[in-house]
Amino acid sequence: VKGSARGAYDPAVPYRAIADPVQLRRLLEANLLIAGDVALGDILRHIASEACSMTGARYGALGVLDERRETIEQFITVGLTPEEERRIGPRPTGKGVLGVLIIDPQPLRIADLSSHPDAAGFPVGHPPMTSFLGVPIRVRDQVYGNLYLTEKVGWSEFTKDDEALVQALALTAGIAIENAQLHRKAEAAAVSADRDRVARDLHDSVIQRLFAIGLSLQGIIQRADVPATRDRLTEAVADLDDTIRQIRSTIFELGMAPDARGPRAQILELARSLQPVVGTAVPVRFEGPVDTSMSAEVTEHLLACMREALTNVGRHAGASAVDVRVRTDGATCVLEVADNGTGMASDAASERGGGLGLVNMRRRAEKLGGRLDVASSAEGTTVVWSVPL
Ligand SMILES: Nc1ncnc2c1ncn2[C@@H]1O[C@H](COP(=O)(O)OP(=O)(O)O)[C@@H](O)[C@H]1O
Ligand SMILES: [Mg+2]
């Protein structure tokens, strides 16, 4: 290193400053730990002890900063007996010379710690430490902590070569920490994406299906003549409602958002996604405080009814235009789907002609204390679904 060509020493690539093949091999081995399946704590402990042994330091320590870079979160020491550690007491908090390393992350080489202007002094029971070499653990401009050594045995101070070596080890430590943090973040992201997917699934498929079962049971209740059967069915419907409520509150308690967007965004998204089914553009007009006054429950029913009404337009109306309006005055909420199609056959409006679409829209409205009105003529069909809020 000494006398090497100018520019050959680049602090970002400290390995260039190391000529000794044995040291280079040990460095390489430390690096290989990152590629292997070794726990971060073990890698850091190995690096700290290699730093001691390769520079002849009696003591070494490696501190990892918390993510806000304010305090030392993880602290690994080498050379202290457990008894000595106990006597020193609490771990350093980043004051004094160690604070200098955090505020100004540059290598710091001191012959006599006690004479340094920033020396904060040692706690009682701390073994005497004179020579000091500290380097930041950094990768590019990100500082993760510091690695420092004290008491170079048989020498009055650490050398420039020691500095290069320890910097190279610190870079390895930095890459290991960065790696571990990225890994943790990726895992956390995967877990939360999965949770949200499960929540949406529970919400969209399971709840919707339970609800549909409840609605068809309600249809059977009206036709059942045996009072005991009616009672039993009514109980089953109440059970289902209870189950749905429980699933909803579990989803909520687990902090899983089935859909974090407001009603307006969900309505617009649904209109957009049904365009191919309807066959025309699906403009939506809003009136009143839709996002602030509609509960998640009302929104969910409204979306289901809007889907059904628009699907009907696509399947039965032969319309060239459709118009969706959602309006609320804070007390009631009204969904209106109007098309300019052929209108319903006369028996369809009485709901005997088709499937369960119109029936379920009505039941959803009635469940919330509201109603469904259908007006149909040769000029088109208008479905008005209104519920109190
Ligand atoms: N927008 C509409 N225009 C014309 N006819 C419609 C419209 N919506 C519903 N209908 C008629 O009403 C019937 C009942 O609708 P629905 O209850 O949704 O059952 P399905 O869609 O399964 O047939 C349909 O079969 C259709 O004949
Ligand atoms: Mg239908």
Side-chain angles (χ1 to χ4, degrees):
V1 181
K2 288 164 214 128
S4 62
R6 270 178 70 181
Y9 178 67
D10 172 0
V13 192
Y15 305 97
R16 282 211 197 121
I18 298 156
D20 183 335
V22 175
Q23 290 190 337
L24 278 174
R25 215 201 61 228
R26 288 172 74 169
L27 263 175
L28 177 64
E29 273 162 14
N31 274 282
L32 289 175
L33 289 182
I34 301 177
D37 191 22
V38 183
L40 179 63
D42 293 336
I43 296 177
L44 298 181
R45 199 160 296 112
H46 176 79
I47 287 173
S49 95
E50 282 292 85
C52 270
S53 120
M54 286 161 81
T55 59
R58 181 146 175 218
Y59 304 107
L62 191 156
V64 180
L65 292 168
D66 64 8
E67 297 214 2
R68 295 166 63 190
R69 292 188 43 202
E70 279 165 2
T71 55
I72 292 167
E73 181 184 69
Q74 227 188 107
F75 191 65
I76 292 162
T77 61
V78 180
L80 293 171
T81 63
E83 170 58 21
E84 279 172 319
E85 284 216 53
R86 198 191 53 72
R87 249 185 296 142
I88 295 173
R91 263 89 205 278
T93 51
K95 294 197 186 73
V97 171
L98 296 180
V100 176
L101 265 181
I102 294 174
I103 294 160
D104 179 22
Q106 301 294 327
L108 188 61
R109 211 145 47 88
I110 304 168
D112 181 5
L113 265 179
S114 62
S115 67
H116 192 273
D118 288 301
F122 291 117
V124 187
H126 197 288
M129 292 181 182
T130 317
S131 54
F132 176 92
L133 166 61
V135 302
I137 294 174
R138 70 190 297 171
V139 179
R140 293 175 293 276
D141 55 351
Q142 185 68 39
V143 179
Y144 291 109
N146 48 52
L147 171 59
Y148 50 94
L149 307 168
T150 59
E151 289 297 290
K152 185 171 168 82
V153 177
W155 293 63
S156 61
E157 61 182 305
F158 288 92
T159 66
K160 197 82 190 148
D161 283 358
D162 293 335
E163 188 178 306
L165 190 62
V166 176
Q167 266 191 299
L169 283 166
L171 177 60
T172 300
I175 293 167
I177 296 167
E178 186 173 61
N179 229 358
Q181 284 184 1
L182 287 176
H183 210 85
R184 214 168 45 217
K185 280 188 190 135
E187 264 173 7
V191 166
S192 80
D194 211 48
R195 278 161 58 108
D196 285 350
R197 191 186 54 70
V198 171
R200 261 198 308 279
D201 224 52
L202 270 177
H203 193 266
D204 294 355
S205 64
V206 180
I207 290 186
Q208 288 298 334
R209 267 164 69 187
L210 288 177
F211 192 81
I213 295 170
L215 288 180
S216 61
L217 285 181
Q218 262 172 345
I220 300 172
I221 293 173
Q222 281 156 20
R223 272 173 263 144
D225 340 294
V226 184
T229 308
R230 267 207 301 271
D231 292 351
R232 185 65 203 94
L233 287 172
T234 307
E235 250 171 63
V237 170
D239 263 6
L240 279 174
D241 278 349
D242 217 47
T243 308
I244 291 172
R245 252 193 305 279
Q246 269 172 27
I247 296 177
R248 276 215 184 92
S249 74
T250 305
I251 291 174
F252 184 76
E253 274 159 28
L254 291 176
M256 306 190 292
D259 201 328
R261 298 168 305 170
R264 191 182 272 263
Q266 294 182 61
I267 290 165
L268 287 171
E269 162 70 22
L270 180 62
R272 202 187 51 74
S273 73
L274 286 176
Q275 259 186 44
V277 176
V278 180
T280 69
V282 183
V284 182
R285 280 182 290 165
F286 294 99
E287 271 171 54
V290 169
D291 272 344
T292 50
S293 64
M294 279 170 60
S295 69
E297 194 189 3
V298 168
T299 305
E300 196 183 307
H301 288 298
L302 183 142
L303 288 168
C305 294
M306 178 174 153
R307 177 188 292 278
E308 176 59 38
L310 286 171
T311 308
N312 279 349
V313 173
R315 283 172 61 193
H316 312 297
S320 63
V322 63
D323 195 30
V324 177
R325 295 175 70 175
V326 177
R327 59 174 184 273
T328 172
D329 55 5
T332 47
C333 170
V334 180
L335 165 74
E336 202 179 296
V337 178
D339 67 64
N340 66 352
T342 53
M344 293 183 181
S346 55
D347 63 339
S350 64
E351 290 157 17
R352 268 173 284 127
L356 279 173
L358 289 170
V359 176
N360 281 349
M361 280 166 76
R362 168 155 297 129
R363 287 190 190 142
R364 282 180 188 272
E366 285 166 357
K367 212 174 175 76
L368 297 171
R371 52 184 291 173
L372 178 78
D373 297 296
V374 181
S376 195
S377 73
E379 270 79 62
T381 303
T382 300
V383 170
V384 181
W385 185 87
S386 59
V387 295
L389 292 176

